Amino acid sequence: ASEPLLDLLDDLVAGLEQTAVLILCPARPELLDRRPSWGTGRLASSSLTLAPLSPQHAATLLRALLDTDVVPAHVAGAILEPAEGNPFFVEEMLAMLVERGSLEEREGGWSATDRLATAAVPDSIHGVIAARIDLLDAAERDALRRCSVMGRIFWPSAVGIDDDVLAGLGRRGLVFEQAEASFSGRREFAFKHALTHDVAYATLPRVERRDLHRAVAEWISDSVPDRQAETTEVIAYHFEQALHYGERDEELQRRSFDALLAAGDAAVRRGAYASAEGLLGRALEIAPTKPAQARALLLAARVDIATRRYERALARLDETVRTADRTGDANLRADALGWKGRVSWLQGNWRE
């Protein structure tokens, strides 16, 4: 989940007193690296850590996946032992062995082929997923890799991929098509699991990441120009990633800055100040010129004012005025002085 979505959930939970609402938030342990206090500190909340499946429950899962009451011991061992109770590992390992031809369905039951004894078995879930991706034909593998640049949810046409190629991967359980698409007239897909996306994205070299992120940002800008309020942050992310993975490119730097500034402005307008602060902070880091930096400073000062950090707001507004004086930008100077007057008024009322 993105930081704004986590903030939204926090705010939502705070306003749900005396209501019969259950909010369930499954997450990988990495969430606690970003939000150590997630799910704590509220009277009506609790956190549950899921332990690995027991050997008996893992065997039950395997039988259910194979739709059979009996699984030969050597077949079960080849799958369950490396999985160590991880249900996703069980599912992916089983799919890999079937796709390799190590397991075959015969006369209503599953049997191992000679390949099971000779095949190398990955010892991690990432290795299993990578092995499954390697088993795809070249066109399918390239499609999965290119689409991974968009995240877990994606639109194949954004990176020049035929929708039907991805639809075919749905039969392998790697992706699935969404019932409703975010953009009208565009087919939308999602990786079945976040780890599948992570492994696919990891195969992209830096140069390809740069080109694909830039292509996605431009595609979204061109495809839905009437929905900029919804897409500014996504566009900013992809331009920023393109800049991160490429060599210095003045045009890309300018477009990244403009996208971050637009996303920051949209966040300020909807009162998402934590998100706005992050976006504008990154805009300030890559501002291509002093006047551009001053525009970002003015917006960042407005975030400071809204969050009552008046001293930092004044420092940023003073810097904006100095830049406006040097560049002769009368409108920028007037805006900054107007906000300085507002800060003075707010400080006086706050002290009282």
Side-chain angles (χ1 to χ4, degrees), residues 5-23:
L5 180 55
L6 294 175
D7 291 337
L8 175 62
L9 286 171
D10 262 340
D11 293 341
L12 180 63
V13 170
L16 287 177
E17 296 180 3
Q18 300 181 2
T19 56
V21 176
L22 172 66
I23 298 180

Side-chain angles (χ1 to χ4, degrees), residues 193-273:
H193 197 282
L195 286 178
T196 307
H197 162 262
D198 293 348
V199 173
Y201 186 68
T203 65
L204 291 172
R206 290 180 64 91
V207 172
E208 196 169 359
R209 290 186 188 189
R210 177 199 65 197
D211 294 342
L212 289 171
H213 277 296
R214 184 169 189 164
V216 171
E218 293 171 346
W219 179 87
I220 296 175
S221 298
D222 296 339
S223 297
V224 285
D226 57 331
R227 294 176 59 181
Q228 293 297 304
E230 301 170 53
T231 59
T232 50
E233 201 161 333
V234 179
I235 293 169
Y237 167 79
H238 285 292
F239 271 132
E240 194 177 11
Q241 290 300 300
L243 187 64
H244 172 72
Y245 286 114
E247 299 176 358
R248 183 173 178 82
D249 181 324
E250 291 184 1
E251 171 63 14
L252 185 56
Q253 182 181 358
R254 182 191 63 76
R255 297 189 72 175
S256 299
F257 171 81
D258 288 344
L260 284 167
L261 194 66
D265 183 47
V268 170
R269 292 176 185 276
R270 67 176 183 268
Y273 298 119

Side-chain angles (χ1 to χ4, degrees), residues 12 54-55 96 106 118 125 169 172 196 210 248 294 303 314:
L12 180 63
S54 68
M96 182 197 71
R106 300 171 184 168
T118 59
I125 184 61
L169 291 178
R172 294 177 175 266
T196 307
R210 177 199 65 197
R248 183 173 178 82
V303 174
L314 287 172

Side-chain angles (χ1 to χ4, degrees), residues 123-202:
D123 59 0
S124 70
I125 184 61
H126 290 81
V128 173
I129 296 171
R132 291 196 65 199
I133 292 175
D134 286 343
L135 290 170
L136 301 174
D137 65 38
E140 292 174 329
R141 187 165 56 249
D142 185 58
L144 200 68
R145 292 171 60 256
R146 290 173 66 86
C147 288
S148 71
V149 79
M150 283 171 272
R152 191 169 177 184
I153 296 173
F154 58 90
W155 309 272
S157 54
V159 288
I161 298 296
D162 190 307
D163 293 335
D164 291 336
V165 176
L166 270 298
L169 291 178
R171 293 189 293 273
R172 294 177 175 266
L174 293 169
V175 303
F176 61 90
E177 186 167 359
Q178 303 273 61
E180 296 183 6
S182 302
F183 303 141
S184 177
R186 307 286 181 174
R187 293 174 71 179
E188 182 173 296
F189 296 82
F191 283 89
K192 183 178 179 182
H193 197 282
L195 286 178
T196 307
H197 162 262
D198 293 348
V199 173
Y201 186 68

Side-chain angles (χ1 to χ4, degrees), residues 58-110:
T60 300
L61 172 63
L62 181 59
R63 290 194 296 271
L65 291 171
L66 289 172
D67 193 22
T68 182
D69 294 330
V70 179
V71 179
H74 63 292
V75 173
I79 297 171
L80 299 180
E81 288 177 12
E84 297 181 338
N86 182 326
F88 182 56
F89 201 152
V90 172
E91 187 175 1
E92 291 295 293
M93 178 72 81
L94 176 60
M96 182 197 71
L97 293 177
V98 171
E99 290 164 0
R100 279 182 174 179
S102 300
L103 293 179
E104 290 182 352
E105 189 173 15
R106 300 171 184 168
E107 300 177 357
W110 288 88

